[in-house]
């Protein structure tokens, strides 16, 4: 099982284990590359939308592109949420930290707006 799949770092810590430092996730390079590629594409789409507005492109066409960007951002959010639930949440519940459930619910509500 890879580090990404187990949700643990090379030294065995959980991906979001904080200790004395701020919590951090520890994604594999492959996962970061996947997210980075998607975010770069979204960034390009946003620049394209800005150009469409500057060129006075028909509003419906701009709105269609905005919907595509929102869907792409939602996809990135779902990927991150899935990884978070499979690693950080499971590990924190296993350690007896049930407050993480409230934290997760807040996050899910933000994503669903």
């Amino acid at each position: 099982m890879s580090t990404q799949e187990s949700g643990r770092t090379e030294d065995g810590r959980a991906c979001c284990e904080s200790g004395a430092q701020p919590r951090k996730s520890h994604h594999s390079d492959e996962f970061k590359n996947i997210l980075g590629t998607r975010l770069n594409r979204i960034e390009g789409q946003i620049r394209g939308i800005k150009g469409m507005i500057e060129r006075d492109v028909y509003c419906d066409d701009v709105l269609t592109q905005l919907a595509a960007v929102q869907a792409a951002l939602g996809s990135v959010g779902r990927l991150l949420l899935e990884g978070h639930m499979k690693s950080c949440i499971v590990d924190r519940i296993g350690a007896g930290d049930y407050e993480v459930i409230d934290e997760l619910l807040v996050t899910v509500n933000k994503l669903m707006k």
Side-chain angles (χ1 to χ4, degrees):
M1 181 179 290
S2 72
T3 300
Q4 176 63 27
E5 292 168 348
S6 71
R8 299 216 169 257
T9 63
E10 297 295 325
D11 62 3
R13 290 181 299 118
C15 77
C16 295
E17 193 172 304
S18 61
Q21 299 177 344
R23 294 182 304 187
K24 292 185 177 183
S25 59
H26 302 278
H27 300 295
S28 69
D29 289 340
E30 178 185 6
F31 189 66
K32 287 192 260 187
N33 287 336
I34 289 168
L35 293 178
T37 298
R38 287 178 181 228
L39 290 170
N40 286 338
R41 188 176 307 126
I42 292 166
E43 184 178 23
Q45 286 176 293
I46 291 171
R47 281 193 303 271
I49 291 168
K50 182 179 177 188
M52 291 172 78
I53 291 170
E54 290 169 353
R55 293 187 314 275
D56 294 321
V57 172
Y58 186 60
C59 295
D60 190 59
D61 296 334
V62 176
L63 291 167
T64 298
Q65 291 305 309
L66 283 171
V69 167
Q70 288 172 326
L73 282 170
S75 177
V76 170
R78 283 186 296 278
L79 280 174
L80 281 168
L81 180 61
E82 179 181 341
H84 183 55
M85 290 176 70
K86 288 181 176 180
S87 59
C88 304
I89 300 298
V90 169
D91 288 341
R92 287 178 62 188
I93 289 172
D97 180 3
Y98 296 102
E99 290 179 16
V100 71
I101 295 170
D102 292 329
E103 177 185 293
L104 177 63
L105 290 172
V106 169
T107 300
V108 169
N109 283 327
K110 288 177 186 177
L111 287 172
M112 294 178 71
K113 285 186 179 182

